[in-house]
Structure formats: C-alpha cells, structure tokens
Amino acid sequence: MIQLHFDSDIPFFWTAIFHWLSYMLFILLLPKRMKKLPTVLIALLFLPVQIALYQVIAPLRGMPFNLGVTLFAVWTLFPFLVLTAVPLLNQVYCCARAFILGGFAVSLAWQLYRYYSVRTPALQTLSWQIVLMLLVGSVVLALAAILERRHREALVEMKLSLRHTLETVLIALVIYILSSLSYTSIDTPFTAETESQVFMIRTIVYFGGIAILYALHLQLCDSYARQERDALQRILDQQYENYRVRQESINLVNQKYHDLKHQIALLRSEIGSGQKTEYLDQLENEIRTYEAQNKTGNEVLDTILTGKSLYCQQHDITMTVVADGHALDFMNVMDLSALFGNALDNAIEAAEQVAPIEQRLIHLSVSRQKGFVKLQFRNRYPSGETISGTLPETTKRDKRFHGYGLKSIRSTVEKYGGSLAVHGENGWFEVGILIPVTDADYKAAS
C-alpha cells in the first residue's frame, strides 16, 4: 500500500536512530531484568540491527514493503521483552507510544532541516544535517522524558488491561497510516501534493497522535492514583480497626489480671506461709512477667506489640523489641497503627516461611537520635527467595495487594517529613525509617 515517491524523504538511518532513542527513553523508565552494564551493552546492540532492518525495508515497494513494516513493528517490541521487567501488556503499551514518539521526533527534525537547508544552501552538508537533526530530536525527546517522569510510578506499577493496551496499539496504527497516506499511490482527500505539505501533514498527524496517547495515559494515571488512594485508605482503616479490637481485648485481659492479683493477695492472707504458697508465688511471677511485656511508654504501641507478640508466640517466631515509646507520642493513633501494623505484618509474613524455626527472627527498635526518631524493622526471610523491587516475593493468595503495606508505611512517614529505606541481603530484610522531630513536637504531644 505504502510507496515512497519523494526523493527528499527522511533517510532510513535517521528513522532507525530516532525510533531507537524513543524506545530507550521508555526502557530507562521501566524496571530492568539485568544489571546496568549488560543492559547498556544489549541496548546498544539493538541500534545497528535496527538500522540494518530499515536499510532492507526502505527500497521495497508494495506488499513486500508492508510485510517488512509489519515485521519491523513486531521487532520494535523485542528490546522491551529483553530488557524490561514489566508485564507483557505494559511492554506492548510502552512500545506503541514509543513508536509514535519516535515518528514525531524524526518527522519534526527532518521537516525543520529541509525547510532551512532549502533556504540556506550552506546547511546542505552532512555535518549540518547531523547537528540540526540531533538538536531538534534531543529537545523533543528531552521534553517527552520530563513529561513521562512525572508519572513514572504509574507507568511502572499499574497493571494494564487488554482493552487499554489494544486501544493504544490501534490508535498508534491509525496514526501511522494517516501519516503515511501522502506516500501512497492512492489519491485521497487527505493526501498532499507538494513536499512541504507532505512534511507538514505527517508532523501534525504524529503530534496529534502523541497528544491523544498522552491524554489517555493521563486518564490511566488518574485512575491508578484513585485506586492507590482507595487501597491505602482501606489498609489504614483495617490496621486501625485491628488496633481497636486488640485494645479492647487487651484491656479486658488487663482487668482480669488486675482482679487476679487481688484474689491472690486475699488467698495468701488466708493460707498463711509455707509450701502451700509456692503456687501463688508462681502465679504472681507470671503476672509480673506479663505486666513487664511491651511496656514502651506509648499505649498505642504497647497494644500493637502485645497483639503481634501473641501471634508470634503461636507461630514460633521470636520477636525482640527495644523501643522508646515516648519518642512516638507526637504521632496520632491511626498513623501509628498503620505504620507498625503494616511493618510487622510484612515482617511476620516473611518470617513464617523461614526454616528452621530457630531462624524465625524479628527485631524492632525505636530510639531518638539527634533530632530524629529512628525506627528499624529487621526480619529473616527464606534464603532462596528473591527480592522483587523493594519487597521479598509475597506468599499472599491475592498478589494484587503485594507492596501496598510498604506504600502505606511510606505515605505515613512522608506525612511527617521523614524518609524510608529498605534493604534485603543474606536472608535479612530491613526497613529503616528516620522522622525529624523537634522539642516542640514532644511538648505538644505531652
């Protein structure tokens, strides 16, 4: 269908280079399958292959040319498959958008070069062509990179549906066909007759395609952001509700223990001294041990830790706590329950999978350090397990919510102007948190 009949059309190597650059722009924003050096080397290998493919396709005409373009479209997905670690639908989605971006960048750059080179013969040299093409193309791709980075998290994390991906591919295909109508032997109301008209139509059509695809992308990002907010709010509410239930249960237990202390004292006075009191002594020691557990100085934290400690005891997990609860008095109840509830839930989920049982360890510390509150959660995770992004692989049946606990933690930490760092190595996973705190915060809390 498509037949070039303008001798001044874009040289094939520029089309190959600009498409390659646009693919690399999206690939840089996505998680990689390999380390940095292998990724760079493999990415560079795709450029000469792409130029060679364009060199083979460009002289073709008619059906062979169409078949070549189809094969090339399939080939453009290959770098995404090899280099990026995102679902297939996300790879196809990014590839389609990169294809239109590359087409616009090379079309605009060539149009401007042809316009000025015709009017200034001195520019009709290879060196000036290289300078002007790379200058215009770099500006276009740099602006695109700035826009894409604003929504990088959504681009990386949102799970695209088949419908959204097919819509994007279809729009990209229509844009490509419309931009190529003037290069066919078919006379249509949308084809141009002069070279300048051809360049103008092609550039405008590609620009319209970028605008449409970016508008759709913003809609997807907004939808993803709403889903993210709803999920985090559900997690926040769930952790707070768990805290309330634990608080009621623990208050009831504390009341019973308090009553038991008085009953023991009464029995002791009636029995008198001797070996008969040994059982009462044992009960009193157990009560003192219970009272000493998880007394950090912060009632909310005490409630959370007591509930988690009981669960750990039932599942053969050793949890040690060294915490200055007063350091957290400035935080409200919902934030505390969300932060510690999610962090300890993640730690317990990972520790439960560790074998042998003796290695099921969790350590929590809370301390004040030079104007900061430092929180550290450390737990063992199975040594053969891989770290996916910033978390060990989940064992939950519903993997859609994997990572939302950490997002909730990050959201809470950022609310107080703090920072969060995660690290996994040698079977230990660590979440470190620093929150800046002033004396005024402590005074307000007290």
Side-chain angles (χ1 to χ4, degrees), residues 305-376:
L305 292 179
T306 299
K308 300 302 180 185
S309 296
L310 292 174
Y311 183 90
C312 288
Q313 291 174 14
Q314 295 168 1
H315 294 79
D316 299 315
I317 299 173
T318 302
M319 184 172 77
T320 57
V321 178
V322 180
D324 175 9
H326 290 299
L328 301 168
D329 287 344
F330 64 94
M331 296 182 69
N332 68 44
V333 175
M334 289 194 71
D335 292 335
L336 266 178
S337 61
L339 195 159
F340 282 89
N342 285 310
L344 291 174
D345 283 347
N346 286 341
I348 290 171
E349 179 192 340
E352 280 184 298
Q353 309 305 314
V354 175
I357 292 176
E358 294 76 16
Q359 293 296 317
R360 295 180 178 178
L361 306 174
I362 297 175
H363 179 70
L364 163 64
S365 65
V366 180
S367 60
R368 307 184 198 189
Q369 293 188 2
K370 297 180 180 180
F372 290 88
V373 174
K374 180 181 179 181
L375 290 74
Q376 187 179 55

Side-chain angles (χ1 to χ4, degrees), residues 273-415:
S273 59
Q275 292 184 347
K276 294 181 179 179
T277 64
E278 290 181 1
Y279 179 68
L280 298 180
D281 293 338
Q282 182 181 352
L283 282 177
E284 281 190 317
N285 289 332
E286 290 178 357
I287 291 174
R288 291 193 189 98
T289 301
Y290 172 80
E291 290 178 330
Q293 283 181 346
N294 301 319
K295 299 301 181 183
T296 66
N298 185 293
E299 291 185 3
V300 177
L301 183 58
D302 292 347
T303 300
I304 297 169
L305 292 179
T306 299
K308 300 302 180 185
S309 296
L310 292 174
Y311 183 90
C312 288
Q313 291 174 14
Q314 295 168 1
H315 294 79
D316 299 315
I317 299 173
T318 302
M319 184 172 77
T320 57
V321 178
V322 180
D324 175 9
H326 290 299
L328 301 168
D329 287 344
F330 64 94
M331 296 182 69
N332 68 44
V333 175
M334 289 194 71
D335 292 335
L336 266 178
S337 61
L339 195 159
F340 282 89
N342 285 310
L344 291 174
D345 283 347
N346 286 341
I348 290 171
E349 179 192 340
E352 280 184 298
Q353 309 305 314
V354 175
I357 292 176
E358 294 76 16
Q359 293 296 317
R360 295 180 178 178
L361 306 174
I362 297 175
H363 179 70
L364 163 64
S365 65
V366 180
S367 60
R368 307 184 198 189
Q369 293 188 2
K370 297 180 180 180
F372 290 88
V373 174
K374 180 181 179 181
L375 290 74
Q376 187 179 55
F377 302 85
R378 300 184 74 240
N379 65 271
R380 300 285 292 185
Y381 70 91
S383 57
E385 198 171 84
T386 57
I387 296 291
S388 175
T390 54
L391 280 177
E393 293 294 337
T394 184
T395 57
K396 294 186 177 74
R397 291 183 179 179
D398 193 346
K399 299 181 184 297
R400 294 175 301 168
F401 297 101
H402 182 48
Y404 275 103
L406 190 62
K407 290 179 182 179
S408 178
I409 296 170
R410 180 180 289 110
S411 175
T412 303
V413 171
E414 291 175 350
K415 176 180 176 180

